[in-house]
Amino acid sequence: MKEIIKPSKFQKDMITISMRNFRTTQQGIGQKLFDISYQKVQNMNEQIELDGMEMIYIAQSLRFQSKQFAQSGRNELAKLYRGYGDQIEEVRKAFQMRNMPEIAKNKKAASAGTLTA
């Protein structure tokens, strides 16, 4: 299950810059998982298909970059990055809610099979 987003050129740049800078805060397996999403973002064209975790990484990265801009007094950029991070988070929440019933249904089906075995 994936969600398609179609960022503008400016939004693509925001995501790329944010993820590049946020990457340095990751360690170990967390960084390896993050790098998979980062590589996908670097290769995106007009649109990108993301799962929930990838959207979380993007939102976290944008918020991290927003804080960096705010600390350096670049408040307008901070607001832009924070706002876009919030938008990505809303898309993720909607995606999760749309797909949650399918996940719950699959769990019930799997557990029902093990009860009769």
Side-chain angles (χ1 to χ4, degrees):
M1 294 175 276
K2 301 282 186 171
E3 181 74 17
I4 295 174
I5 64 167
K6 298 177 182 180
S8 68
K9 172 71 173 122
F10 181 69
Q11 290 169 331
K12 285 181 198 177
D13 290 344
M14 289 171 66
I15 292 170
T16 303
I17 290 166
S18 298
M19 290 187 83
R20 183 180 59 233
N21 293 333
F22 186 64
R23 182 183 181 278
T24 62
T25 68
Q26 304 298 298
Q27 297 176 5
I29 190 70
Q31 187 176 44
K32 289 180 182 183
L33 292 172
F34 183 87
D35 283 346
I36 293 168
S37 298
Y38 181 51
Q39 186 65 39
K40 191 175 194 179
V41 164
Q42 287 181 314
N43 294 330
M44 76 175 143
N45 294 317
E46 304 298 317
Q47 62 185 30
I48 185 169
E49 288 186 24
L50 302 168
D51 64 22
M53 194 66 214
E54 292 165 337
M55 286 185 268
I56 288 172
Y57 285 141
I58 290 172
Q60 286 177 337
S61 298
L62 288 163
R63 290 176 177 156
F64 170 82
Q65 190 64 48
S66 172
K67 288 178 187 175
Q68 298 300 307
F69 283 134
Q71 289 174 351
S72 66
R74 299 167 77 185
N75 294 328
E76 290 303 314
L77 277 174
K79 286 179 189 177
L80 282 173
Y81 277 72
R82 178 65 186 207
Y84 192 46
D86 292 346
Q87 285 179 357
I88 296 291
E89 182 63 15
E90 290 302 314
V91 169
R92 184 197 66 80
K93 286 179 184 177
F95 168 78
Q96 296 291 107
M97 291 306 292
R98 276 193 316 273
N99 293 296
M100 188 182 297
E102 187 174 321
I103 292 167
K105 182 172 60 175
N106 288 339
K107 277 188 178 181
K108 283 184 183 179
S111 64
T114 56
L115 291 175
T116 59

